[in-house]
Amino acid sequence: MEVELRHLRAFVAVATRRSFTAAGGDLLITQPALSRTIQQLEAAVGARLLERTSRSVELTDTGRELLERLRVVLHDLDAALIAARGRASLRIGFQWALPDPWISDLLAAFETATGATATLVRRDDIVTALHSGDVDVALVRAPVHASGITQTVLFEEERVAAVSAESPLAARAELEWAELTAYPLVVNTVSGATSADLWPPEQRPERVLECGSYDEWLAIIAAGRGVGSTTTSAAETHIHARVAHVPLTGAPPVAVRLLWPTRRRSDALLRRFGELASAVR
């Protein structure tokens, strides 16, 4: 039996959703038909791809490797078909607040220059999103150290302190960067741009509270459990009634970086987006 595109899409749907019911709903086919399709694919490749129980669906090692490869292949195929139909698009990943009006100006300039559609996609795990083809490029603030990813610094932003609105610090006209170390430091370890390493070893905060997203970071600070730092643009767009932002002096700037998969360095749309991202400011 020859492997057809429907077999591949069915497998990716089930492997992603970890449910035949959910995948069948996405693909608009019945569970028995979906099960037969997966069985046909497994027979064609000569290996079990999914382990099924009455309650769960898990990937085998072979299935996990195939899923990683197919996500990239199907993304490239879909992009090629869209471009052939004259509806080229670029998905731009981001983790939290982007500088505005910079991002609005950039998207408008890109669409005008290329005729393509630019879409913003929020993802916390930006490296996985780039490798899987979930996004084409990404704008981040935290340094990224990952194989297969190329990056460049576009520009830098200033920092402000984030403190509880109930804290005496909220009434200050400004704070020194070194003052933050006297309080528990709230750090977003997934996508944040602040870490204890930004201070000299002898001046680092004694206590660090870790979280995994910008929303969690805001909630912890709002509760008065610690302080943090963020960018001026994020402070303007992510307003929390119980979080106050205070200007910082002596703080290191935050670099806004553009990331893209190294394997796609010759992609014309990505290259044009990178040129405009560097020019629009």
Side-chain angles (χ1 to χ4, degrees):
M1 188 203 77
E2 292 186 1
V3 174
E4 301 175 8
L5 186 58
R6 65 185 179 89
H7 294 110
L8 304 182
R9 292 199 185 279
F11 168 70
V12 170
V14 176
T16 300
R17 300 279 267 166
R18 302 296 173 93
S19 165
F20 277 83
T21 301
D26 292 342
L27 298 171
L28 300 179
I29 61 176
T30 64
Q31 282 185 254
L34 182 56
S35 294
R36 287 194 298 272
T37 301
I38 298 298
Q39 290 168 359
Q40 291 169 354
L41 177 61
E42 290 179 326
V45 301
R48 181 172 290 278
L49 304 174
L50 300 169
E51 294 291 352
R52 312 161 182 82
T53 69
S54 59
R55 293 186 176 182
S56 66
V57 176
E58 298 296 333
L59 287 164
T60 64
D61 290 341
T62 302
R64 190 173 296 106
E65 181 178 352
L66 181 61
L67 176 62
E68 292 178 1
R69 292 174 178 268
L70 285 182
R71 278 176 168 164
V72 174
V73 170
L74 292 178
H75 169 265
D76 289 346
L77 174 61
D78 289 340
L81 293 174
I82 289 172
R85 298 187 188 109
R87 297 199 306 273
S89 64
L90 192 72
R91 289 172 295 179
I92 304 150
F94 73 104
Q95 296 168 311
W96 42 286
L98 291 172
D100 206 33
W102 175 80
I103 186 61
S104 300
D105 293 342
L106 173 57
L107 298 186
F110 173 77
E111 293 184 340
T112 299
T114 65
T117 300
T119 304
L120 290 174
V121 181
R122 181 173 177 176
R123 294 289 184 269
D124 285 327
D125 189 347
I126 211 70
V127 172
T128 296
L130 284 166
H131 279 314
S132 69
D134 189 24
V135 300
D136 302 302
V137 296
L139 295 165
V140 303
R141 293 185 177 90
V144 172
H145 307 287
S147 61
I149 299 295
T150 302
Q151 59 185 299
T152 186
V153 174
L154 297 175
F155 56 87
E156 294 181 332
E157 293 186 272
E158 294 183 355
R159 293 179 188 266
V160 294
V163 303
S164 168
E166 303 298 321
S167 168
L169 297 176
R172 294 274 298 275
E174 63 180 26
L175 290 169
E176 289 283 347
W177 174 247
E179 288 185 77
L180 297 186
T181 62
Y183 306 88
L185 181 69
V186 186
V187 172
N188 173 4
T189 59
V190 175
S191 58
T194 302
S195 70
D197 295 340
L198 293 176
W199 286 269
E202 67 279 4
Q203 295 179 5
R204 289 174 185 169
E206 293 184 3
R207 186 181 177 199
V208 175
L209 304 178
E210 296 183 346
C211 61
S213 72
Y214 197 77
D215 294 331
E216 291 177 28
W217 180 85
L218 277 174
I220 294 172
I221 293 173
R225 296 175 56 196
V227 302
S229 79
T230 188
T231 63
T232 52
S233 62
E236 292 170 356
T237 56
H238 277 54
I239 300 173
H240 193 296
R242 296 174 58 195
V243 174
H245 294 102
V246 183
L248 275 172
T249 59
V254 178
V256 175
R257 294 172 168 84
L258 176 66
L259 277 60
W260 65 93
T262 304
R263 63 182 175 79
R264 297 186 62 190
R265 58 183 176 273
S266 61
D267 188 298
L269 274 184
L270 267 64
R271 187 167 59 252
R272 187 64 176 129
F273 182 81
E275 292 170 353
L276 290 169
S278 299
V280 175
R281 189 68 178 112

